[in-house]
Amino acid sequence: MNILLTGGAGFIGLHVLDDLLARGHSVRIVDSLRPDVHATSDWRPPAPVEFMHADVRDAAALDRALVGIDAVIHLAAKVGLGVDVSDTPDYVSSNDYGTAEVLAAMARAKVGRLTLASSMVVYGEGRGLCPVHGAVAPGPRLDSAMAAGQFEPPCPVCGETLAPAMVGEDVATDPRNVYATTKLAQELFASNWARVTGGSVAAMRYHNVYGPGMPRDTPYAGVAAIFLSSLRKGLAPQVFEDGGQRRDFIHVRDIAAATVLATERHMAGVRAFNVGSGTPRTVGQMASALAEALNGPPSIVTGKYRLADVRHIVADSSRLRAELGWDVKTDFSSGMKELAASYDH
């Protein structure tokens, strides 16, 4: 297929590009090379990939980029939590207005297949298990409770402490920050577009992505990058809360493989797919694994917290496995060692 890849010069985009080329696809990239993500503005892709240095909010550029295209993989976005309210306009403009322009241009060009990079953050706290009321949407974590070291979310009915549960695509969405809200809006805009045009949408809800090429010391860096930046300076990783936050760490090559498979195999309707390993790990475990791999100082549990953070979020990715034939290839231990080695050079 002839594929338009937005954000193709980014962390995930470069791995998606590698996978597309390995599978024989023709690729055209649109990327703004925005300076808060990219160290250089003169990046160029390998031959024979076409590259357009343009922003997805540029309608005329998108019209040119979509000529001869069969499907779009839309990765371009501003990522991070959006902690500062002053960042809200940029998030909304970059992610939601940018997606609106992509969808409008696809409609003009009559390109009907979209693979959209979404995120697990659309779930908020996801789902918890109450010993009395069963599966429930966790209640909000209060500042007073967290300041007292009570980090587990409560049952919204009785206040009992919840046990974590796997999150499937049927769990109600509950975005807790600006970035999460823009990702859910992207999904909704794409669904609107598909309903009107008859197009197909695979919304890929990526979980905690790590791997070679992960950005350093930027708002885009995940917790793994933050820990590694500390370790490279000889400092102990600073772990928030009690380190027991459960996450689903997934290697970027597995993310890329899922994205390309969705582009090849999802041909009708709108479908969300969790992309995660399905194996929970704590943030404390990740910090320890990276410190060990780099022979660095052991992590320090600080008790600090951010109200916008969620306590536990682990994917049930069985839909992706069953419908698209995908599976995880990189295990956590080897992935952490590879990540540490890539950051050590």
Side-chain angles (χ1 to χ4, degrees):
M1 285 192 291
N2 295 320
I3 308 243
L4 176 64
L5 175 62
T6 75
F11 167 45
I12 295 175
L14 290 172
H15 290 273
V16 170
L17 173 62
D18 286 346
D19 206 88
L20 286 169
L21 295 177
R23 295 175 71 86
H25 296 290
S26 176
V27 184
R28 181 178 297 145
I29 289 174
V30 169
D31 200 300
S32 67
L33 300 179
R34 54 187 299 167
D36 53 350
V37 185
H38 299 277
T40 178
S41 61
D42 60 359
W43 177 86
R44 291 295 180 269
V49 176
E50 297 181 58
F51 173 59
M52 292 181 60
H53 185 180
D55 195 294
V56 292
R57 291 167 288 190
D58 184 337
L62 287 174
D63 286 339
R64 296 192 298 273
L66 282 163
V67 173
I69 292 296
D70 301 309
V72 174
I73 299 175
H74 181 36
L75 304 181
K78 178 179 174 68
V79 303
L81 289 178
V83 174
D84 192 327
V85 174
S86 65
D87 290 336
T88 301
D90 191 24
Y91 275 96
V92 173
S93 177
S94 300
N95 298 355
D96 297 339
Y97 178 63
T99 297
E101 289 287 10
V102 169
L103 295 170
M106 290 177 69
R108 291 191 296 270
K110 295 182 168 38
V111 176
R113 295 175 63 180
L114 173 67
T115 302
L116 173 68
S118 186
S119 172
M120 56 87 179
V121 295
V122 302
Y123 296 118
E125 287 284 356
R127 177 177 286 169
L129 294 176
C130 174
V132 178
H133 297 99
V136 295
R141 296 198 293 167
L142 302 179
D143 189 38
S144 57
M146 295 177 72
Q150 299 167 9
F151 299 116
E152 298 296 340
C155 173
V157 181
C158 66
E160 285 289 327
T161 298
L162 298 178
M166 301 285 279
V167 175
E169 293 89 351
D170 61 326
V171 168
T173 54
D174 182 22
R176 298 288 181 96
N177 55 60
V178 170
Y179 172 64
T181 301
T182 65
K183 297 311 286 185
L184 181 57
Q186 285 182 303
E187 290 193 26
L188 295 173
F189 287 137
S191 295
N192 299 154
W193 165 84
R195 187 176 298 113
V196 171
T197 65
S200 67
V201 178
M204 313 303 288
R205 292 175 176 171
Y206 300 151
H207 282 247
N208 293 80
V209 188
Y210 72 92
M214 190 166 56
R216 309 179 189 188
D217 301 318
T218 77
Y220 293 69
V223 65
I226 294 169
F227 291 161
L228 283 165
S229 293
S230 295
L231 287 164
R232 283 174 58 84
K233 298 170 187 173
L235 304 175
Q238 303 288 303
V239 179
F240 276 24
E241 301 184 20
D242 59 0
Q245 310 93 299
R246 288 159 50 109
R247 294 290 185 268
D248 194 332
F249 298 107
I250 177 78
H251 197 281
V252 67
R253 285 194 298 269
D254 290 322
I255 288 281
T259 303
V260 174
L261 280 175
T263 304
E264 294 174 340
R265 298 179 183 180
H266 180 74
M267 300 183 183
V270 178
R271 198 71 161 151
F273 295 98
N274 282 336
V275 192
S277 70
T279 302
R281 308 279 180 177
T282 69
V283 173
Q285 284 176 317
M286 167 174 267
S288 296
L290 293 174
E292 181 180 350
L294 288 174
N295 294 315
S299 59
I300 297 173
V301 176
T302 67
K304 294 179 182 179
Y305 60 90
R306 294 175 297 202
L307 282 175
D309 288 350
V310 300
R311 179 63 174 173
H312 305 297
I313 190 79
V314 179
D316 176 353
S317 298
S318 56
R319 175 184 291 180
L320 184 60
R321 290 180 170 90
E323 296 185 11
L324 300 183
W326 170 89
D327 207 350
V328 172
K329 302 295 184 187
T330 304
D331 67 87
F332 180 79
S333 178
S334 61
M336 287 294 106
K337 290 176 183 176
E338 179 192 18
L339 176 61
S342 72
Y343 261 67
D344 203 28
H345 291 88

